[in-house]
Amino acid sequence: MTDISDTLASPPNPTETEPPPAGPGAPATDLEQALFEVKRVIVGQDRLVERLFTALLADGHCLLEGVPGVAKTLAAQTLATVVGGTFARIQFTPDLVPSDIVGTRIYRASKEDFDVELGPVMANLVLADEINRAPAKVQSALLEAMAERQVSIGGRSYRVPDPFLVLATQNPIESEGVYQLPEAQRDRFLMKITVDYPSDVDELAILYRMSADRPTARAVLDPRRLRALQDRASQVFVHHALAEYVVRLVLASRDPVRFGVGDIAPLLAYGASPRATLGLVSAARAQALLRGRDYVLPEDIRDLAADVMAHRLVLSFDAVADGVSPDSVVRRLVEAVPPPQIAPAQDASVPDLVVA
């Protein structure tokens, strides 16, 4: 039987077409420059910026939720500028149809035949602005692109560019003309990030920075270098004890009584899916690389648990009626499930982990 640590820790076979980064300092330098460029424009949202880069390195889609005016769209546009590649912004409205996103067939009288015009979703980074305003047919079309990395037009499939990332925003305070995202589509987002108001100090800095000559970001990466960084993130070491810890966290959302948190069992109708297990590991790897490490720590998993798991939980009717938030349920699970403890290691570059 293969040890799970062998599967998680073994790097993929190198290919001739995609060489690895030049050296151990190359990813750190690229990421530091990219973070600097984004933070020149986005003030006071350090957590948002870090989570965006984590989703980018983990090759996972990201959902941003916050009230209007907290720089959700600006953050996505700035990230697209910094990472290079192609970018498309789609403003979702109730009258949108699937062909507005994926494209359509157009009859050419001169050729007496149909041509395929691909839609704006065929870009490296797609900003789906106010995604919850679109009806179910549009959501299904976008879901195919997110899940299968392809679109279907006229019985033929067309691959989206690689890398491909969907950044979606939604407004939580409006109810008119808004469609709740289906559970299947929420599950396809690696993370859901709640964007809060900035502090008073940050808001004053925003006033000074954005009221005169607004800063603009420059391109630091390109699709090839971004793909190399994503490959590097997938090679970050994950100890088998941490893999077991992730599994226990996700299983606790499905069977709280088994893990000693029976008090939250009435709050949950359905727990997190196995996609949450995969997503939490990939996000932890990306965050470790972003913070200059080639191994994952328990803090990475605990830090990202709410962002990866909360939007995948389905709360019971009583929990919704009482105003219980999925984030609070995940925080309770993180408190209840003990993480592995770090023990002294012979090799200082990778700490040993033991289960508490």
Side-chain angles (χ1 to χ4, degrees):
M1 181 177 179
T2 303
D3 192 344
I4 189 171
S5 62
D6 297 335
T7 303
L8 290 172
S10 300
N13 292 328
T15 62
E16 296 180 357
T17 57
E18 291 185 297
T29 303
D30 286 341
L31 291 174
E32 285 176 3
Q33 292 177 351
L35 279 167
F36 174 78
E37 286 297 321
V38 174
K39 289 183 179 180
R40 287 181 60 244
V41 180
I42 306 300
V43 183
Q45 295 288 358
D46 290 346
R47 179 179 174 276
L48 167 63
V49 173
E50 185 182 52
R51 291 297 189 270
L52 286 176
F53 273 94
T54 299
L56 188 70
L57 293 174
D59 196 18
H61 310 296
C62 194
L63 178 63
L64 310 179
E65 183 177 270
V67 297
V70 290
K72 302 186 300 297
T73 302
L74 180 62
Q77 292 174 328
T78 305
L79 180 68
T81 301
V82 170
V83 302
T86 55
F87 171 71
R89 178 190 178 191
I90 307 173
Q91 185 67 49
F92 279 50
T93 55
D95 60 347
L96 211 64
V97 294
S99 60
D100 294 331
I101 295 178
V102 302
T104 187
R105 300 174 69 201
I106 299 178
Y107 182 73
R108 305 291 186 187
S110 59
K111 299 191 301 182
E112 297 184 353
D113 198 1
F114 286 91
D115 284 343
V116 173
E117 292 288 341
L118 297 176
V121 78
M122 305 298 286
N124 292 115
L125 196 149
V126 177
L127 171 59
D129 216 354
E130 295 188 286
I131 188 174
N132 54 338
R133 289 190 178 277
K137 287 184 177 181
V138 176
Q139 301 293 355
S140 298
L142 182 62
L143 179 59
E144 181 187 8
M146 294 171 60
E148 308 299 334
R149 304 296 174 105
Q150 68 177 28
V151 297
S152 298
I153 304 173
R156 294 184 58 187
S157 297
Y158 301 86
R159 300 294 298 178
V160 297
D162 183 42
F164 176 71
L165 177 69
V166 173
L167 294 179
T169 68
Q170 66 178 11
N171 182 352
I173 61 176
E174 294 187 23
S175 57
E176 293 186 8
V178 171
Y179 301 83
Q180 185 176 2
L181 294 183
E183 285 76 10
Q185 187 164 10
R186 293 207 310 268
D187 197 40
R188 291 292 178 178
F189 284 101
L190 173 66
M191 291 191 294
K192 177 184 175 182
I193 306 170
T194 302
V195 187
D196 295 324
Y197 286 116
S199 64
D200 52 352
V201 175
D202 291 331
E203 191 146 355
L204 183 61
I206 293 171
L207 175 62
Y208 283 128
R209 187 176 302 186
M210 306 301 289
S211 60
D213 294 332
R214 298 188 176 187
T216 57
R218 64 180 180 87
V220 174
L221 303 174
D222 55 59
R224 181 178 176 276
R225 293 165 70 187
L226 175 57
R227 171 51 66 187
L229 287 170
Q230 291 175 339
D231 291 342
R232 185 66 176 265
S234 67
Q235 299 174 22
V236 171
F237 178 78
V238 179
H239 197 280
H240 71 88
L242 285 177
E244 293 171 354
Y245 174 54
V246 171
V247 171
R248 292 199 305 272
L249 271 178
V250 176
L251 290 179
S253 71
R254 304 176 202 162
D255 190 1
V257 177
R258 174 184 167 189
F259 292 87
V261 280
D263 56 311
I264 69 170
L267 305 177
L268 290 170
Y270 296 96
S273 69
R275 203 172 281 124
T277 306
L278 299 173
L280 191 50
V281 170
S282 63
R285 280 175 155 163
Q287 179 167 283
L289 180 66
L290 191 62
R291 294 180 176 179
R293 285 182 276 106
D294 58 359
Y295 55 88
V296 173
L297 292 176
E299 288 74 16
D300 295 320
I301 295 171
R302 294 168 67 89
D303 190 28
L304 292 164
D307 297 311
V308 175
M309 293 177 57
H311 65 285
R312 293 181 162 94
L313 302 180
V314 179
L315 300 182
S316 65
F317 176 81
D318 292 338
V320 174
D322 292 340
V324 177
S325 68
D327 294 73
S328 64
V329 175
V330 176
R331 286 194 295 268
R332 179 73 178 88
L333 294 175
V334 171
E335 293 172 358
V337 179
Q341 300 297 318
I342 299 178
Q346 294 180 353
D347 182 3
S349 62
V350 180
D352 284 339
L353 297 171
V354 295
V355 180

